[in-house]
């Protein structure tokens, strides 16, 4: 097994070097913008004050980041339906796309082109085997 693990590690390195993204910054997001978008994606809509407390940042700083992200169309403000006095910030579809793009490690277009060159059975086998390998790394649940 150690020989197979080493062989797979070599192949994985080759896959990464072949298909990793080379198109510069993934989304153009700053670290602070990424933090705000990422937090909202996990927490759901929040007020600017709530987001600032969660992120342990000054409300004025988070408010400025939210303003910039809203101007780029990545966030939107909406009234809280449960309390119309509160204004929540939430990701737009473009904001969700920017986060996904930011997380992409591999060049999807290049990978899709290469996968299209494989017979359907090999594509399916590759994806199935990779999913099985990831699942095998999960800790066993106690019985």
């Amino acid at each position: 097994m150690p020989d197979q693990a080493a062989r797979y590690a070599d192949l994985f390195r080759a896959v990464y070097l072949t298909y990793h993204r080379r198109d510069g910054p993934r989304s153009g997001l700053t670290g602070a913008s990424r933090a705000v978008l990422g937090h909202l994606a996990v927490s759901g809509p929040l007020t600017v004050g709530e987001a600032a407390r969660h992120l342990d940042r000054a409300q004025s700083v988070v408010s400025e980041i939210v303003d910039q992200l809203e101007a780029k169309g990545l966030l939107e403000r909406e009234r809280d339906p449960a309390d119309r006095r509160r204004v929540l910030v939430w990701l737009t579809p473009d904001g969700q796309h920017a986060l996904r793009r930011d997380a992409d490690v591999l060049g999807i277009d290049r990978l899709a082109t290469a996968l299209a060159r494989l017979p359907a059975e090999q594509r399916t086998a590759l994806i199935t085997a990779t999913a099985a390998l990831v699942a095998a790394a999960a800790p066993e649940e106690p019985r």
Side-chain angles (χ1 to χ4, degrees):
M1 282 302 177
D3 289 342
Q4 288 178 321
R7 177 68 180 130
Y8 187 85
D10 288 342
L11 288 169
F12 182 83
R13 191 174 303 109
V15 166
Y16 177 79
L17 291 173
T18 301
Y19 296 105
H20 80 276
R21 291 186 54 196
R22 292 178 174 84
D23 58 353
R26 294 185 183 126
S27 65
L29 295 174
T30 65
S33 294
R34 186 178 304 108
V36 170
L37 288 174
H39 188 74
L40 288 171
V42 172
S43 69
L46 296 172
T47 66
V48 170
E50 290 166 340
R53 283 191 299 281
H54 290 189
L55 294 166
D56 196 26
R57 298 287 179 256
Q59 185 168 337
S60 60
V61 170
V62 174
S63 181
E64 184 177 322
I65 294 167
V66 166
D67 288 346
Q68 292 169 1
L69 292 171
E70 185 179 26
K72 292 178 180 178
L74 302 178
L75 287 181
E76 62 188 356
R77 296 172 198 261
E78 57 188 46
R79 292 267 174 212
D80 184 344
D83 180 349
R84 303 291 297 159
R85 295 170 295 175
R86 291 171 25 107
V87 177
L88 302 173
V89 290
W90 183 231
L91 284 82
T92 63
D94 285 347
Q96 292 169 353
H97 177 75
L99 266 183
R100 278 192 304 278
R101 176 134 171 85
D102 192 67
D104 286 346
V105 174
L106 301 179
I108 301 300
D109 293 340
R110 187 167 188 199
L111 188 56
T113 299
L115 286 169
R117 292 179 183 148
L118 297 175
E121 307 81 44
Q122 285 184 342
R123 284 194 306 268
T124 300
L126 177 63
I127 292 168
T128 300
T130 304
L133 184 62
V134 170
E140 289 186 38
E141 293 189 21
R143 296 178 184 198

